[in-house]
């Protein structure tokens, strides 16, 4: 939907019934069922006490994740981020095709931390970021991570880690 709405001249027709919503954008018609229950409190999943701050250049980070994840298995797609003193080491291990490692300078001054994420989710988030720098707010390897786009203050992403 976001990509369809990128053009400033786009005309959108919105139709709503008790159970569905229909959006017509040019020749594309999108229909969705409306949620008929109580929506969960999304504020509860947004971490509030993540005290470790990681700053990355979006383009360099995205390219590094893409390079190391080429050897990951389609099932797991896990990439491990090892953080220590201004340095990030991205690692992927695949028993079938080997391993890949890449180092990246980052803004990180907290205690050393190793955390794993699904590479596809990292790439999906970095693909949405509009600024040159992103901030990851981390707690520990088992807790959700908060990602902020410095160029868009209203953009907020919550990313669940994986075991690696």
């Amino acid at each position: 939907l976001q990509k369809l709405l990128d053009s400033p001249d786009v005309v959108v027709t919105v139709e709503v019934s008790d159970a569905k919503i229909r959006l017509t954008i040019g020749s594309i018609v999108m229909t969705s069922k409306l949620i008929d229950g109580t929506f969960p409190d999304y504020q509860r999943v947004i971490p509030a006490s993540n005290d470790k701050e990681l700053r990355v250049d979006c383009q360099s980070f995205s390219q590094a994740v893409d390079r190391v994840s080429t050897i990951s298995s389609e099932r797991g797609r896990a990439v491990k981020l090892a953080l220590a003193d201004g340095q990030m080491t991205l690692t992927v291990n695949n028993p079938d095709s080997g391993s890949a490692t890449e180092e990246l300078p980052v803004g990180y001054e907290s205690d050393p931390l190793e955390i794993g994420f699904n590479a596809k989710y990292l790439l999906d988030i970095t693909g949405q970021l509009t600024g040159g720098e992103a901030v990851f707010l981390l707690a520990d390897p088992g807790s959700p991570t908060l990602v902020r786009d410095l160029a868009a203050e209203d953009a907020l992403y919550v990313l669940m880690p994986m075991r690696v």
Side-chain angles (χ1 to χ4, degrees):
L1 184 60
Q2 178 76 32
K3 289 182 181 182
L4 295 172
L5 297 174
D6 278 345
S7 172
D9 329 339
V10 70
V11 176
V12 179
T13 305
V14 180
E15 301 167 83
V16 181
S17 72
D18 288 339
K20 294 185 179 180
I21 185 169
R22 178 182 299 147
L23 302 163
T24 305
I25 306 163
S27 62
I28 298 172
V29 178
M30 180 185 252
T31 304
S32 180
K33 181 180 180 217
L34 297 173
I35 297 174
D36 57 352
T38 304
F39 195 74
D41 181 13
Y42 70 90
Q43 295 283 1
R44 287 182 34 206
V45 300
I46 297 175
S49 60
N50 290 12
D51 60 345
K52 295 174 179 67
E53 183 176 291
L54 164 67
R55 289 179 177 257
V56 298
D57 174 77
C58 293
Q59 184 177 7
S60 300
F61 178 69
S62 178
Q63 290 171 347
V65 170
D66 189 41
R67 281 191 294 271
V68 297
S69 69
T70 56
I71 67 152
S72 66
S73 68
E74 284 303 314
R75 185 181 58 83
R77 305 249 331 154
V79 60
K80 179 172 73 172
L81 310 180
L83 305 167
D85 296 327
Q87 191 76 19
M88 174 191 295
T89 304
L90 297 94
T91 308
V92 171
N93 290 309
N94 184 340
D96 299 326
S97 54
S99 63
T101 302
E102 185 156 342
E103 291 187 351
L104 203 65
V106 294
Y108 184 79
E109 297 174 6
S110 297
D111 295 333
L113 175 71
E114 289 187 357
I115 189 167
F117 295 107
N118 182 309
K120 181 176 179 344
Y121 297 158
L122 286 171
L123 293 173
D124 286 347
I125 289 174
T126 56
Q128 296 299 311
L129 302 177
T130 57
E133 191 175 41
V135 175
F136 287 64
L137 298 171
L138 307 123
D140 58 66
S143 298
T145 294
L146 195 59
V147 183
R148 292 192 176 274
D149 184 352
L150 291 182
E153 290 184 20
D154 58 342
L156 178 68
Y157 304 88
V158 177
L159 186 59
M160 293 301 295
M162 295 177 71
R163 287 188 202 166
V164 288

